[in-house]
Amino acid sequence: MCTGVGRITMPLRKDIVMSKESVEKQASLWGARAEDWAEVQESVVRPLFEAVAQRCEVHAGMRVLDVGCGAGGFVQIATSRGATTTGMDATPELLAIARRRTPAARFDQGDLESLPYDDASFDLVTGFNSFQYAADPVQGLREARRVVKKGGRVVIATWGKPEDCEGAAYLAALKPLLPPPPPGAGGPFALSDEAALRAIVEKAGLGSGAVVDVSCPWEYPDLSVALRGLLSSGPVVLAIRTSGEEKVRAATTEAIAPFRTSGGGYRIENKFRYLVAER
């Protein structure tokens, strides 16, 4: 059920039955353009990764779990700071890239709503743009609370307010090209409101701490690279499968046109935010 690098020992629960349909669906979407995501789009949120690592004082000997780890960008940073690191994601293609980048870390395939780890296994659990996409975000956070030790921290990172994100124009352009979302489904900005973010954390039984905004400009040297990155995420792959790549490329190109620089590149200003919760 779960795979990982053997040099790191971490207890795994034996009673977990993952939501196979959920895991396979997400893996199919995010795995389609995994290399483009890893090479282009993941790097635009590196300032967020670094801010969290610094704020949480990630250090040697700390046990860190990143859920929805993608291609392992945050795990790579945490490992470089000496932490004992584990990443978990639904997508085998992204996990393969993460293992290649950071062989000293452990990576498992799984579902954040049913984490395959024993209670109190970690000092820090992070989720970058992952909890708001869970079928049940509160359950995902309850699982994070379960696997973090008493006094440990859980970081929930999400988009900032829509008015602080120029990328919102690109997301709005894609909405008509996607199938109707299921009732009650969260979206990119589902937890951007501070009150909503704090409410979900408190429902999960965690102490609500500081909310911090981080500037993460999306910079691309040209349109070709911009489209490689912007068309690589799971939701955009779903839009492509629903409406066709030509329509998605055209809508994206039009949406980012106002952010073209004099040198022919693109710079899209965004703020992401994170909350540090405590168990």
Side-chain angles (χ1 to χ4, degrees):
M1 178 179 67
C2 296
T3 58
V5 178
R7 69 183 64 184
I8 292 178
T9 301
M10 182 61 63
L12 291 175
R13 295 176 71 198
K14 304 300 184 183
D15 59 333
I16 286 296
V17 178
M18 293 191 306
S19 172
K20 185 177 180 182
E21 181 181 359
S22 173
V23 170
E24 289 181 349
K25 179 180 178 181
Q26 290 302 315
S28 172
L29 295 173
W30 284 93
R33 304 192 177 198
E35 292 290 344
D36 287 345
W37 172 266
E39 292 175 13
V40 180
Q41 199 61 18
E42 186 186 60
S43 64
V44 299
V45 292
R46 186 175 178 89
L48 178 62
F49 295 158
E50 292 177 338
V52 169
Q54 183 173 352
R55 177 85 181 200
C56 294
E57 300 178 327
V58 175
H59 59 267
M62 179 181 277
R63 298 167 298 167
V64 176
L65 169 66
D66 186 30
V67 298
C69 68
F74 180 72
V75 172
Q76 189 174 40
I77 289 171
T79 303
S80 73
R81 295 171 70 102
T84 298
T85 49
T86 301
M88 197 208 71
D89 200 89
T91 308
E93 292 86 350
L94 289 172
L95 290 170
I97 296 168
R99 292 186 184 105
R100 187 170 71 235
R101 286 176 167 179
T102 314
R106 174 189 187 131
F107 293 97
D108 298 315
Q109 185 180 8
D111 183 346
L112 64 82
E113 293 179 53
S114 54
L115 296 176
Y117 308 106
D118 285 345
D119 298 355
S121 294
F122 301 95
D123 302 296
L124 172 67
V125 178
T126 58
F128 294 90
N129 284 327
S130 54
F131 288 111
Q132 72 262 37
Y133 291 110
D136 185 345
V138 173
Q139 173 59 23
L141 283 171
R142 284 174 178 156
E143 277 292 275
R145 180 185 182 278
R146 180 183 62 77
V147 303
V148 79
K149 72 176 188 180
K150 182 70 174 176
R153 288 170 290 182
V154 176
V155 173
I156 306 95
T158 184
W159 286 78
K161 295 179 290 185
E163 58 267 32
D164 291 335
C165 297
E166 292 179 341
Y170 144 75
L171 297 174
L174 294 174
K175 191 173 181 179
L177 305 176
L178 285 160
F189 299 105
L191 298 179
S192 299
D193 177 75
E194 184 171 337
L197 183 56
R198 291 190 182 281
I200 199 170
V201 166
E202 289 169 7
K203 283 181 182 177
L206 289 160
S208 185
V211 173
V212 183
D213 287 342
V214 180
S215 177
C216 293
W218 296 356
E219 295 186 271
Y220 311 100
D222 53 42
L223 180 60
S224 175
V225 174
L227 289 174
R228 279 188 64 205
L230 293 171
L231 270 59
S232 65
S233 72
V236 182
V237 170
L238 179 58
I240 290 170
R241 292 179 180 175
T242 302
S243 301
E245 181 157 355
E246 184 177 347
K247 287 183 179 180
V248 173
R249 289 177 70 89
T252 302
T253 300
E254 182 178 357
I256 67 173
F259 311 112
R260 192 165 186 252
T261 67
S262 59
Y266 293 81
R267 182 181 173 92
I268 304 170
E269 299 287 350
N270 296 291
K271 284 185 179 178
F272 287 78
R273 60 182 15 179
Y274 67 91
L275 183 150
V276 182
E278 199 165 298
R279 182 175 186 272

